[in-house]
Amino acid sequence: MVDHLVNTEINSQRIAAVENCFGASGQPLAVPGRVLLGEGILTKECRKKPKPRIFFLFNDILVYGSIVINKRKYNSQHIIPLEDVTLETLPDTLQMKNRWMIKTSKKSFVVSAASLTERKEWISHLEECIRHLLMKTGRQPSTEHAAPWIPDKATDICMRCTQTKFSTLTRRHHCRKCGFVVCADCSRQRFLMPRLSPKPLRVCNLCYRQLLAEKKKEAEADRRQPEPIHSAVLGYEPSSGDDSDKSDDDKADQWPADTEFYTSEVSWSSFHS
């Protein structure tokens, strides 16, 4: 389908229509070889509450944004390269069904579909696009993913100290490493995680200690690297190699998935049948 539609007028018109809906606030989406495969409204787990979001699936990227006027105006455009995406099916909860997680190195979040069939179609389309893209680029599937944020309403107390109760005056904060909802006292530290941001980010005390320990271990490994041996034999060049090995021992406890969601009544729709 991608090869058949890549240079067609209908594909160009559909992409132009999406660009027009995002307006000047969105980035250009028309590039050579890009095909728009389908669109639909999914419910996205946000920090305050689940919200409907418009999603557009291209053969190389996933684009989503906030709905101002459906089919006419969207904002807050987000573009996710598909080669960085991993999918994980999640079990239903009493409040939310047909859930799955979209995981990337910079951001991971939970979405839900209006029906089981719609979820299967979304996942099938996404996995097929990811598979073809990885084959084309020769890249391996991504293994490092950002932690999804636990919604605010998932807990009334700090998930680390379990003592501080949140209120209008006592704010909730999120650790950028584990995604837990924590109080200010349990998240006073900042740590530089270049994969997520060029600036130091808020982390909880436990993750801060773990990140410091990992950084110290890496520094010690670098110091243990042997000095190059310079041979007295003319023309001899000592071999070089990289023996550093990074490990991640983060074993933070998992929080029960009991978040309320709202399902969307809009089903998956493909521009091209």
Side-chain angles (χ1 to χ4, degrees):
M1 180 183 291
V2 172
D3 293 338
H4 177 70
L5 296 171
V6 64
N7 294 317
T8 61
E9 183 66 22
I10 186 64
N11 181 62
S12 299
Q13 292 175 356
R14 296 298 187 182
I15 295 179
V18 176
E19 289 182 333
N20 185 60
C21 286
F22 279 105
S25 65
Q27 297 184 35
L29 299 173
V31 299
R34 179 169 291 166
V35 175
L36 177 58
L37 298 175
E39 67 170 296
I41 295 178
L42 298 172
T43 301
K44 177 180 177 293
E45 174 186 323
C46 299
R47 176 175 179 176
K48 297 296 183 182
K49 64 179 182 180
K51 298 177 182 178
R53 293 287 185 260
I54 184 69
F55 281 79
F56 297 95
L57 176 61
F58 297 80
N59 60 321
D60 62 334
I61 59 174
L62 180 66
V63 178
Y64 72 92
S66 301
I67 302 170
V68 181
I69 304 175
N70 193 27
K71 300 290 184 180
R72 295 182 58 187
K73 186 175 182 180
Y74 308 122
N75 59 21
S76 302
Q77 184 192 72
H78 296 266
I79 300 177
I80 303 175
L82 287 182
E83 59 188 11
D84 191 35
V85 171
T86 302
L87 306 177
E88 179 184 349
T89 303
L90 301 177
D92 292 345
T93 65
L94 292 176
Q95 299 81 14
M96 189 69 168
K97 300 184 183 303
N98 311 312
R99 307 164 61 224
W100 78 95
M101 187 182 298
I102 298 174
K103 300 189 290 186
T104 76
S105 60
K106 294 185 178 296
K107 184 176 184 178
S108 299
F109 54 93
V110 175
V111 294
S112 70
S115 67
L116 181 61
T117 299
E118 183 182 338
R119 182 180 74 171
K120 288 181 178 179
E121 290 183 348
W122 266 107
I123 293 178
S124 175
H125 282 81
L126 281 163
E127 289 181 339
E128 185 70 7
C129 289
I130 293 169
R131 185 177 67 85
H132 279 287
L133 190 60
L134 291 177
M135 288 178 59
K136 182 179 179 180
T137 61
R139 289 187 52 178
Q140 295 297 316
S142 180
T143 56
E144 293 190 29
H145 307 112
W149 282 21
I150 304 296
D152 286 1
K153 291 185 178 180
T155 178
D156 291 328
I157 61 173
C158 173
M159 296 172 68
R160 284 305 183 197
C161 69
T162 67
Q163 300 296 320
T164 302
K165 186 175 178 62
F166 297 120
S167 64
T168 305
L169 299 178
T170 306
R171 289 186 55 200
R172 292 171 168 85
H173 299 280
H174 279 82
C175 170
R176 270 58 169 184
K177 179 68 169 61
C178 65
F180 276 23
V181 183
V182 290
C183 65
D185 287 339
C186 289
S187 59
R188 295 190 179 279
Q189 304 295 339
R190 303 289 189 277
F191 199 90
L192 180 61
M193 293 179 282
R195 179 168 53 86
L196 300 181
S197 172
K199 299 180 180 180
L201 300 175
R202 179 188 293 270
V203 293
C204 68
N205 296 342
L206 176 61
C207 286
Y208 181 72
R209 291 193 295 270
Q210 292 175 339
L211 288 167
L212 277 183
E214 291 172 8
K215 184 177 181 179
K216 182 179 179 181
K217 186 182 298 183
E218 293 171 7
E220 291 175 350
D222 291 339
R223 285 196 298 269
R224 287 197 297 267
Q225 290 290 333
E227 293 293 330
I229 302 173
H230 300 285
S231 172
V233 179
L234 293 178
Y236 176 79
E237 292 291 340
S239 62
S240 61
D242 184 7
D243 297 326
S244 62
D245 182 18
K246 298 181 181 180
S247 62
D248 185 358
D249 298 325
D250 184 16
K251 298 180 180 178
D253 295 335
Q254 298 297 314
W255 189 258
D258 57 354
T259 307
E260 292 187 1
F261 287 86
Y262 306 112
T263 56
S264 167
E265 295 181 356
V266 181
S267 300
W268 163 276
S269 63
S270 178
F271 286 134
H272 314 288
S273 60

